Amino acid sequence: MAKDTWIIANWKANKTLDEALEWVKIVGSNCLQKEDLKIAVCPSFSAIEEVKREIETKAYPLIVGAQDLSPFDNGAYTGEETAAILKQFVKLAILGHSERRENFGETDEIIAEKVKQALEYGITPLVCVQDADTLVPQGCKLIAYEPVFAIGSGNSDSPEDANRVAGIFKQKYGEDSQVLYGGSVTAENVRDFTNQENISGVLVGKASLIAEEFVRIIKA
Ligand code: PGA
C-alpha cells in the first residue's frame, strides 16, 4: 500500500497577510494534486482565516494548520487561541515545537493538555519530538522528529539516522503512527528523507517561506 506523504510548511513568526496570500497563490496554483500527498501550511494566527478562505475559494489542494493552540478550553485565558475556536479554520496543529519548549517553557505536561484539546475538537495534533526519548502524548499519531541541531542550521540529520529514530517511534507508539522529519529540509535533500521506509513526510521551516522554493520541495 502506498503511504501518505506529508509536506508541511511551518512559517513560524513570519509573513504579513499580503505576503501570506501571495504565497498561497503561487503554491496553490503550482502544487501537485495527488491523493497520497498531503500539503499543509501553518501561518501565524492572524493570517489563518484569510489563508483558509483563499484556499477554499480557489479550491487549492492545501490543508491549513496552526503552529500552536491553547492547553485550555474556552474561558478566562487572556491571549490564548483555543482548539474550540481554531477548529473552524484548521485541520491540524503543530504542538511541542522545540522553539516553544525553549522560549516559552512548554513542558511535556502542557503539551499533553494541548493534544487533549486538539483531539477533543477534531484537530489533528502533530507533536514535535527532539530525540528518541521525547514523550508522545496519548492519542497522537502524527509525529515530527526534529533534532534541535538541525533546525534552521543548514545542517540536517542524515536520512538514515532520521529513519532509525522514526522507526523507534513507530515501535513505541504503533505502526499506524506517521513520523515526519524536520530540520533544514530543502528541495535538494527532501527526497532522501521521504524515500526512507519509516518517514512519512517533512516539516519545513525556512525553506517553506519562499513560495517557489516550497513548490520545488513538493515537486521533488
Ligand atoms: P527549518 O525549521 O526547516 O528552518 O530547519 C524546521 C522547523 O523548525 O520546523
Side-chain angles (χ1 to χ4, degrees):
M1 199 178 72
K3 62 173 187 181
D4 283 343
T5 300
W6 290 86
I7 314 262
I8 302 180
N10 174 14
W11 286 351
K12 309 190 180 184
N14 289 291
K15 291 200 187 295
T16 61
L17 184 55
D18 284 349
E19 289 165 351
L21 293 176
E22 182 61 20
W23 185 101
V24 168
K25 191 167 84 185
I26 296 170
V27 174
S29 50
N30 284 290
C31 71
L32 305 173
Q33 196 151 12
K34 280 177 73 189
E35 212 179 321
D36 55 359
L37 185 61
K38 295 182 191 299
I39 305 166
V41 55
C42 302
S44 58
F45 287 128
S46 57
I48 282 178
E49 182 178 358
E50 287 285 326
V51 163
K52 180 179 159 63
R53 183 174 302 133
E54 183 66 8
I55 287 170
E56 281 184 352
T57 308
K58 302 279 168 53
Y60 292 141
L62 291 170
I63 296 164
V64 184
Q67 298 173 20
D68 187 29
L69 51 73
S70 178
F72 299 105
D73 209 328
N74 282 354
Y77 302 104
T78 302
E80 285 294 84
E81 289 279 352
T82 65
I85 294 170
L86 284 167
K87 70 163 198 258
Q88 58 189 319
F89 304 121
V90 303
K91 290 234 163 23
L92 74 99
I94 300 171
L95 301 176
H97 192 285
S98 57
E99 288 155 10
R100 296 213 56 86
R101 295 181 196 252
E102 163 94 22
N103 300 312
F104 303 95
E106 282 195 12
T107 60
D108 288 337
E109 291 70 31
I110 294 172
I111 294 157
E113 290 304 313
K114 293 184 175 200
V115 167
K116 258 195 229 160
Q117 284 297 311
L119 291 171
E120 182 167 339
Y121 289 100
I123 296 171
T124 301
L126 164 57
V127 169
C128 299
V129 296
Q130 289 69 48
D131 57 55
D133 296 326
T134 312
L135 288 177
V136 176
Q138 214 182 0
C140 174
K141 291 290 175 187
L142 192 58
I143 299 164
Y145 165 56
E146 295 203 313
V148 173
F149 72 82
I151 295 180
S153 65
N155 177 27
S156 63
D157 198 354
S158 71
E160 296 72 25
D161 191 58
N163 187 53
R164 179 186 66 79
V165 177
I168 295 173
F169 279 99
K170 286 174 87 82
Q171 230 171 31
K172 272 203 234 178
Y173 297 101
E175 277 301 316
D176 58 337
S177 302
Q178 293 179 294
V179 186
L180 317 185
Y181 168 75
S184 299
V185 171
T186 62
E188 280 65 46
N189 66 16
V190 62
R191 266 188 88 88
D192 299 336
F193 290 102
T194 53
N195 278 340
Q196 300 292 324
E197 185 187 348
N198 298 318
I199 295 180
S200 298
V202 286
L203 180 55
V204 190
K206 205 194 273 175
S208 77
L209 289 175
I210 299 163
E212 291 80 3
E213 173 70 5
F214 194 63
V215 169
R216 290 211 304 128
I217 290 175
I218 296 166
K219 293 197 167 155

